[in-house]
Amino acid sequence: MANVIRRQTPLARLGRMALYATLILAALFYLLPLVVMLLTSIKPLEEIRAGSLLALPLAPTLEPWAKAWGEACTGMRCEGIGGYFWNSFAIVIPAVLISTLIGALNGYALTQWRFKGSELLFALMLFGCFIPFQVVLLPMAQTLGWLGLASSRAGLILVHVVFGIAFTTLFFRNFYVAVPRELVAAAKLDGAGFFRIFWRILLPVSAPILVVSVIWQFTQIWNDFLFGVAFSGHDTQPVTVALNNLVNTSTGVKEYNVDMAAAMIAALPTLVVYVLAGKYFVRGLTAGSVKG
Amino acid sequence: MSALEINEVRKTFGNTEVLKEVSLAIESGEFLILVGPSGCGKSTLMNAIAGLEPVTSGEIRIAGRDVTWCTPAERDIAMVFQSYALYPSMTVRQNIAFGLEMRKMPRGEREAAVERVADLLQISHLLERKPSQLSGGQRQRVAMGRALAREPQVYLFDEPLSNLDAKLRVDMRTEIKKLHQRLGTTIVYVTHDQIEAMTLADRIAVMRDGEILQLGTPEAIYNDPVNRFVAEFMGSPSMNLIEATLEGDAGQGYRLRIATPGEDDLCLPWPRPTEALASRVGQRVLLGLRPEHFAEHDARLDEAAQGAPFSARVSVAEPTGADILLRLPLGTGEVTARVGPRCPAVPGERLALRIDLERAVLFDGESEQRLA
Ligand SMILES: Nc1ncnc2c1ncn2[C@@H]1O[C@H](COP(=O)(O)OP(=O)(O)OP(=O)(O)O)[C@@H](O)[C@H]1O
Ligand SMILES: [Mg+2]
């Protein structure tokens, strides 16, 4: 629709300018918190106390960032959030990969190897998307205890995988349902089995939905606080929990610049993922069927 | 030993019976065509043969081996789908080689097989392309190549040409015929196109509602249909079916009386009496006449050799180039007659014609089964 031909009357041009002005203003408004955070995180404390929130820093410094990363106190310890940052990665990466893989296999089986009750099973799995996190906190804690995974990284990964499967299955099922069944039939006749067909035929055409699933899961799990706070031990806390502890630590002066820098650090990975791959996210969500 | 044998195969989806005790046997090297109206179970039968859908009961044998409960891979079958079903992420070469790779053929042999098939189908220059970079006709060739590379016991084609334009379809039809003659493969082929059916088949199976009504050579299906449905389904324009009353008896011979509104009754002698006719005297029967069973009256020829005389007012004349199709009132409706391109037919005027009853067929008015 980009190249619809229309005569440009002065009135139409004026309308267009008004439209863009509104959009830019709205965008600025939404960007404001980020800007304030960024500005605050590179100001020395005195400047924050003296100046306005939106004033540009007179003597920009990266010290708050360094402090947030390596020295700030999160509760009892004063080692910064750097270690927890890596903790988050150690939880998020396996959880994203495993939940995406299982979701893909589920979607593949539910669409291309239908069985009696497969539609019902899918409908039940969808419930998983709507279950509030709080409801499962206690049973989950008990289950992790039984499994011997309480307060461990593996336990937290398990929780995220279990919760993610509902969403990833939904994504992949809706993508694979549009793949012609004859494609899989042809591969069966060619002699390929369940996993081989998935690996060689389906997965290579799944890039759009893989991107969607990975971005979605990454943001969800990275930003999770509740499960992190409930199920992680001291050494396995994700960065969101550490950030909370850092901000709430009440010894000494309140260092807003360090708080802001820590918040920026905690938010950075999801920002980066979104900026780099956001375009594919939208494209993947609207991707059509695979042409044979 | 038959290449493919289907014994009393039934298939139900829930409460609907899609295949009702279908039985047939195909010799090695035979080209069998399945035709029938949409939804009659052709694809279901193909899927059952391929092992993509389990049958409800019955038995399927391939080269003598009972494969009823074998997986598709174990059946040694290749299938060409209407949508071609090429693997989108693979090149043409990989598409053709995939089945060979799955069957653990060594790389060298695989390459040779791909080259052989590509040569045969003239797609060598396309081997490195992806399916999305091919035209419809090229995709169709690749789909055939994928099947041909494997040299299985039986090939299944489910409407392989129906997505091509008319010209390409005719070309590919000829090529498939040539390939079959050259390679002597056993083929089961589904089509909606009667010309495809008539030209390609060694035998045709006409299906309706999950049953095979008639299985026979194209000539038998065309000239000797077992019932009204088969008669009308094959042939274009389709067979004329004219209501008539059967008169006479076995001794004097039978006659067909056809009442046409606004005309004198037409009384035609029936040349081939059968036993079934005796009990139908005085009853309503259906006379089946193909358009080419009519001919222009020719004054130079012997009267007796020309068939039964008949004249009617021409309502429409449609020249097709090779011949003229005439619409004429006969019985309660109109019939189509095919006459030579020089026939002086003028719409609105009477024309003298002949009917070749030797080739005509007769169906029961009620059961619509063949009588004579
Ligand atoms: N999975 C299914 N569940 C229920 N009914 C089905 C299923 N597959 C096919 N049918 C029914 O079985 C009948 C035969 O279908 P089939 O696809 O074999 O027809 P066909 O002869 O190949 O038709 P066409 O010429 O349109 O391809 C149809 O009435 C169809 O609705
Ligand atoms: Mg079909």
Side-chain angles (χ1 to χ4, degrees):
Chain A
M1 297 298 270
N3 42 13
V4 175
I5 297 169
R6 201 187 294 149
R7 178 174 294 155
Q8 288 279 321
T9 62
L11 200 67
R13 212 169 295 165
L14 203 70
R16 200 121 275 258
M17 274 156 65
L19 185 67
Y20 280 121
T22 317
L23 288 176
I24 289 168
L25 275 176
L28 284 177
F29 182 72
Y30 279 100
L31 273 174
L32 214 54
L34 186 66
V35 172
V36 170
M37 273 173 73
L38 201 59
L39 289 179
T40 311
S41 74
I42 55 174
K43 280 181 197 169
L45 258 185
E46 311 83 70
E47 252 183 69
I48 296 173
R49 290 206 199 90
S52 106
L53 213 54
L54 279 171
L56 288 177
L58 300 172
T61 165
L62 281 177
E63 222 156 90
W65 284 68
K67 186 159 185 202
W69 181 263
E71 299 159 33
C73 296
T74 55
M76 301 307 226
R77 286 188 230 181
C78 293
E79 292 165 351
I81 62 167
Y84 302 103
F85 186 81
W86 298 123
N87 262 356
S88 270
F89 271 110
I91 294 160
V92 169
I93 290 173
V96 167
L97 293 184
I98 295 170
S99 59
T100 298
L101 185 72
I102 294 178
L105 280 170
N106 280 349
Y108 165 58
L110 285 172
T111 53
Q112 303 291 336
W113 297 75
R114 289 195 195 171
F115 46 91
K116 245 194 179 72
S118 57
E119 288 297 295
L120 181 70
L121 183 68
F122 175 61
L124 291 177
M125 288 193 78
L126 276 190
F127 268 119
C129 298
F130 303 109
I131 291 179
F133 285 11
Q134 299 84 326
V135 173
V136 294
L137 281 182
L138 285 178
M140 189 62 91
Q142 210 148 33
T143 310
L144 289 179
W146 281 330
L147 293 173
L149 293 175
S151 303
S152 74
R153 195 171 279 156
L156 200 49
I157 291 172
L158 179 71
V159 174
H160 283 305
V161 168
V162 167
F163 254 85
I165 284 175
F167 288 95
T168 55
T169 302
L170 171 68
F171 293 148
F172 281 95
R173 160 38 253 180
N174 287 351
F175 186 78
Y176 287 148
V177 82
V179 172
R181 304 196 67 190
E182 296 185 342
L183 208 58
V184 172
K188 281 187 200 169
L189 282 162
D190 266 344
F194 181 89
F195 287 104
R196 185 98 62 148
I197 295 175
F198 176 67
W199 188 250
R200 295 282 301 271
I201 315 284
L202 269 292
L203 212 52
V205 297
S206 308
I209 205 66
L210 275 173
V211 173
V212 168
S213 179
V214 165
I215 293 183
W216 175 268
Q217 282 297 90
F218 187 93
T219 355
Q220 290 295 310
I221 301 175
W222 185 276
N223 287 339
D224 162 71
F225 176 74
L226 189 61
F227 286 153
V229 103
F231 300 131
S232 63
H234 262 304
D235 300 329
T236 57
Q237 275 172 358
V239 71
T240 44
V241 177
L243 176 65
N244 176 66
N245 293 347
L246 181 146
V247 174
N248 287 338
T249 300
S250 50
T251 49
V253 266
K254 191 91 194 124
E255 295 176 300
Y256 291 108
N257 50 1
V258 176
D259 290 357
M260 292 300 173
M264 286 298 300
I265 290 171
L268 215 50
T270 46
L271 266 178
V272 168
V273 165
Y274 214 87
V275 168
L276 289 185
K279 158 169 96 187
Y280 300 101
F281 186 79
V282 176
R283 212 179 282 169
L285 276 181
T286 57
S289 91
V290 181
K291 294 230 173 73
Chain B
M1 188 173 59
S2 306
L4 171 67
E5 217 180 309
I6 296 166
N7 291 326
E8 298 177 352
V9 161
R10 286 177 58 246
K11 173 75 191 175
T12 55
F13 287 111
N15 288 329
T16 44
E17 195 169 28
V18 178
L19 295 178
K20 303 168 186 162
E21 305 234 324
V22 172
S23 296
L24 54 85
I26 305 162
E27 296 310 311
S28 179
E30 191 171 343
F31 201 131
L32 178 86
I33 291 218
L34 289 178
V35 292
S38 194
C40 71
K42 303 182 297 290
S43 297
T44 308
L45 182 57
M46 294 291 255
N47 288 343
I49 298 172
L52 295 168
E53 285 276 1
V55 299
T56 308
S57 69
E59 183 195 47
I60 297 170
R61 292 176 162 275
I62 291 171
R65 190 165 60 99
D66 184 353
V67 297
T68 316
W69 300 106
C70 290
T71 64
E74 290 162 355
R75 296 189 181 208
D76 203 12
I77 271 181
M79 190 156 172
V80 178
F81 295 90
Q82 180 175 4
S83 63
Y84 313 139
L86 301 179
Y87 309 131
S89 62
M90 300 186 194
T91 62
V92 169
R93 182 188 297 282
Q94 291 164 334
N95 260 283
I96 297 176
F98 187 69
L100 308 176
E101 188 193 332
M102 290 302 113
R103 274 150 218 276
K104 313 241 167 7
M105 185 187 272
R107 178 175 288 270
E109 282 176 49
R110 223 151 69 202
E111 293 294 311
V114 172
E115 297 297 335
R116 172 179 63 81
V117 169
D119 248 13
L120 192 67
L121 296 168
Q122 296 157 9
I123 48 172
S124 303
H125 59 295
L126 305 173
L127 283 176
E128 306 312 326
R129 291 211 204 160
K130 292 273 177 70
S132 57
Q133 299 164 321
L134 301 176
S135 72
Q138 290 168 335
R139 282 181 210 192
Q140 211 284 327
R141 274 163 199 273
V142 176
M144 291 216 333
R146 195 167 62 179
L148 288 173
R150 271 205 2 237
E151 304 186 351
Q153 294 284 346
V154 180
Y155 290 90
L156 305 177
F157 287 74
D158 195 349
E159 306 196 35
L161 304 184
S162 59
N163 283 343
L164 301 181
D165 67 50
K167 166 89 172 67
L168 207 52
R169 195 145 74 202
V170 173
D171 292 348
M172 284 309 292
R173 191 174 78 206
T174 315
E175 285 206 35
I176 291 178
K177 177 129 190 159
K178 276 191 203 153
L179 272 175
H180 176 248
Q181 284 169 356
R182 211 165 122 195
L183 305 175
T185 47
T186 311
I187 297 177
V188 184
Y189 187 113
V190 171
T191 179
H192 268 119
D193 185 325
Q194 336 186 356
I195 308 196
E196 246 170 77
M198 293 299 290
T199 53
L200 288 174
D202 291 324
R203 283 194 300 162
I204 296 177
V206 183
M207 288 184 69
R208 183 183 59 179
D209 296 339
E211 284 176 296
I212 295 184
L213 297 179
Q214 189 172 1
L215 175 63
T217 60
E219 295 72 39
I221 300 276
Y222 191 78
N223 295 322
D224 261 329
V226 296
N227 60 23
R228 174 188 184 159
F229 178 82
V230 176
E232 278 189 305
F233 194 77
M234 295 303 286
S236 170
S238 64
M239 181 184 270
N240 301 296
L241 288 159
I242 304 142
E243 284 193 16
T245 313
L246 189 66
E247 295 179 346
D249 57 53
Q252 295 178 333
Y254 295 102
R255 294 179 307 279
L256 298 167
R257 179 172 298 279
I258 302 167
T260 309
E263 300 263 353
D264 292 338
D265 282 4
L266 180 66
C267 204
L268 301 169
W270 180 253
R272 287 174 285 123
T274 60
E275 295 207 348
L277 290 182
S279 62
R280 302 299 200 287
V281 172
Q283 293 181 9
R284 196 175 69 95
V285 292
L286 289 171
L287 171 65
L289 289 172
R290 295 221 176 261
E292 63 268 26
H293 294 167
F294 293 87
E296 202 184 328
H297 173 65
D298 190 339
R300 291 164 302 175
L301 291 180
D302 179 25
E303 280 292 316
Q306 287 198 54
F310 154 64
S311 91
R313 203 175 293 281
V314 175
S315 60
V316 184
E318 299 172 335
T320 65
D323 41 31
I324 302 176
L325 295 176
L326 303 176
R327 298 285 292 164
L328 312 147
L330 178 61
T332 48
E334 284 197 329
V335 294
T336 305
R338 193 195 295 271
V339 293
R342 298 225 177 74
C343 176
V346 181
E349 300 205 347
R350 290 194 81 83
L351 182 70
L353 292 164
R354 296 285 168 156
I355 298 175
D356 182 1
L357 285 165
E358 288 296 335
R359 293 194 283 160
V361 289
L362 213 55
F363 301 105
D364 188 288
E366 303 301 322
S367 70
E368 306 192 333
Q369 295 298 314
R370 181 80 175 273
L371 287 176

